[in-house]
């Protein structure tokens, strides 16, 4: 596609439920990032995928968070047993090899009631 | 560790005013520096970047110079327009990660 897409654009869930957020990166963009943007805050790095290498999960805030990337393309961020503090905009970004620029999706706004 | 500090907003200016949004950083080594912009209802997009000291990034009338001696990357524009209203983020590239400032909301009044 022309850009990075994310779905859903908005997700409202109840505390304790699991959610899955999806990212479709640009074809050929081997690097993929997930960030979290809380109200009035900068972006918080969550996880990084690069090709077939093991992902850098150092930014995941707890073991309730996990992510996978299938076939080097689509990625899913899963949050189990959601808490109210998980409410934020979750952003996905993709980067072509050697380009030094990340291309962002529109984000998923997650609200945990 | 690496960090980015940018001026708090919102910054409110009249059309055609001069804009400066301050950004300073703390880093080891020689990071790349970026300004990203988020227009209302849109995703983040790269505005400009600089990869080494004394480089000047420029785009859409905006400029920022990588100043190693003051560890700064201030964003400037000589004459702002209403369409420049957005949130601006300064970021530092460290290895493959971006370290982000908190963002500065810019409001331009006609």
């Amino acid at each position: 596609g022309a850009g990075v897409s994310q779905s859903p654009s908005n997700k409202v869930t109840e505390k304790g439920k699991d959610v899955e957020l999806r990212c479709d990166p640009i074809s050929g963009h081997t690097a993929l990032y997930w960030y979290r943007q809380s109200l009035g805050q900068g972006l918080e790095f969550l996880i990084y995928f690069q090709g077939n290498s093991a992902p850098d999960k150092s930014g995941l805030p707890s073991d309730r968070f996990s992510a996978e990337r299938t076939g080097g393309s689509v990625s899913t961020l899963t949050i189990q047993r959601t808490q109210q503090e998980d409410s934020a905009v979750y952003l996905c970004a993709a980067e072509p090899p050697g380009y030094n620029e990340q291309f962002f999706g529109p984000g998923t706004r997650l609200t945990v009631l | 560790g690496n960090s980015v500090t940018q001026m708090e907003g919102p910054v409110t200016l009249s059309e055609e005013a001069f804009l400066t949004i301050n950004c300073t950083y703390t880093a080891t080594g020689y990071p790349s520096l970026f300004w990203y912009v988020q227009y209302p209802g849109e995703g983040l997009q790269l505005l400009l970047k600089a990869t080494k000291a004394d480089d000047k990034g420029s785009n859409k009338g905006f400029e920022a110079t990588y100043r190693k001696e003051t560890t700064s990357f201030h964003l400037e524009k000589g004459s702002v327009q209403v369409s420049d209203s957005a949130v601006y983020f300064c970021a530092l590239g460290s290895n493959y990660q971006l370290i982000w400032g908190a963002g500065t909301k810019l409001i331009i009044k006609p």
Side-chain angles (χ1 to χ4, degrees):
Chain A
V4 179
S5 60
Q6 293 186 244
S7 60
S9 55
N10 279 284
K11 176 71 177 178
V12 180
T13 190
E14 294 179 347
K15 178 180 172 182
K17 301 281 189 182
D18 297 352
V19 295
E20 282 190 354
L21 312 180
R22 178 186 169 104
C23 173
D24 278 280
I26 302 167
S27 177
H29 284 45
T30 54
L32 187 146
Y33 303 76
W34 282 99
Y35 295 92
R36 178 168 70 177
Q37 184 179 21
S38 301
L39 188 64
Q41 304 291 318
L43 275 68
E44 174 189 4
F45 166 78
L46 296 177
I47 189 168
Y48 163 72
F49 295 90
Q50 173 60 272
N52 295 320
S53 302
D56 176 354
K57 304 179 181 180
S58 61
L60 295 177
S62 78
D63 59 7
R64 296 186 295 104
F65 287 72
S66 62
E68 59 180 29
R69 189 178 185 193
T70 53
S73 180
V74 172
S75 178
T76 303
L77 176 69
T78 301
I79 309 173
Q80 296 178 308
R81 306 181 302 281
T82 52
Q83 304 295 311
Q84 287 182 333
E85 61 263 29
D86 299 335
S87 296
V89 176
Y90 289 81
L91 292 166
C92 175
E95 184 174 16
Y99 203 67
N100 200 27
E101 176 182 347
Q102 296 181 22
F103 294 84
F104 282 81
T108 294
R109 182 175 297 278
L110 174 66
T111 303
V112 182
L113 301 177
Chain B
N2 297 330
S3 66
V4 174
T5 303
Q6 61 182 105
M7 64 191 291
E8 289 188 24
V11 172
T12 303
L13 296 172
S14 297
E15 210 166 16
E16 299 183 3
F18 184 87
L19 168 72
T20 300
I21 300 179
N22 289 338
C23 172
T24 56
Y25 67 91
T26 303
T28 54
Y30 303 94
S32 295
L33 299 172
F34 304 82
W35 277 100
Y36 277 79
V37 58
Q38 189 170 32
Y39 297 104
E42 298 185 18
L44 273 165
Q45 55 187 276
L46 180 67
L47 179 60
L48 53 85
K49 66 181 180 183
T51 58
K52 61 183 187 296
D54 299 325
D55 268 2
K56 178 186 285 188
S58 61
N59 186 23
K60 300 182 180 180
F62 290 89
E63 292 183 340
T65 302
Y66 188 162
R67 301 283 189 201
K68 191 165 174 61
E69 64 276 14
T70 54
T71 60
S72 66
F73 193 56
H74 304 323
L75 183 68
E76 297 182 336
K77 186 173 185 181
S79 177
V80 292
Q81 305 301 312
V82 172
S83 58
D84 293 327
S85 297
V87 181
Y88 292 81
F89 292 89
C90 185
L92 175 158
S94 175
N95 293 322
Y96 50 80
Q97 286 195 28
L98 286 176
I99 311 299
W100 297 82
T104 302
K105 184 173 184 177
L106 176 64
I107 301 168
I108 306 300
K109 296 188 173 180

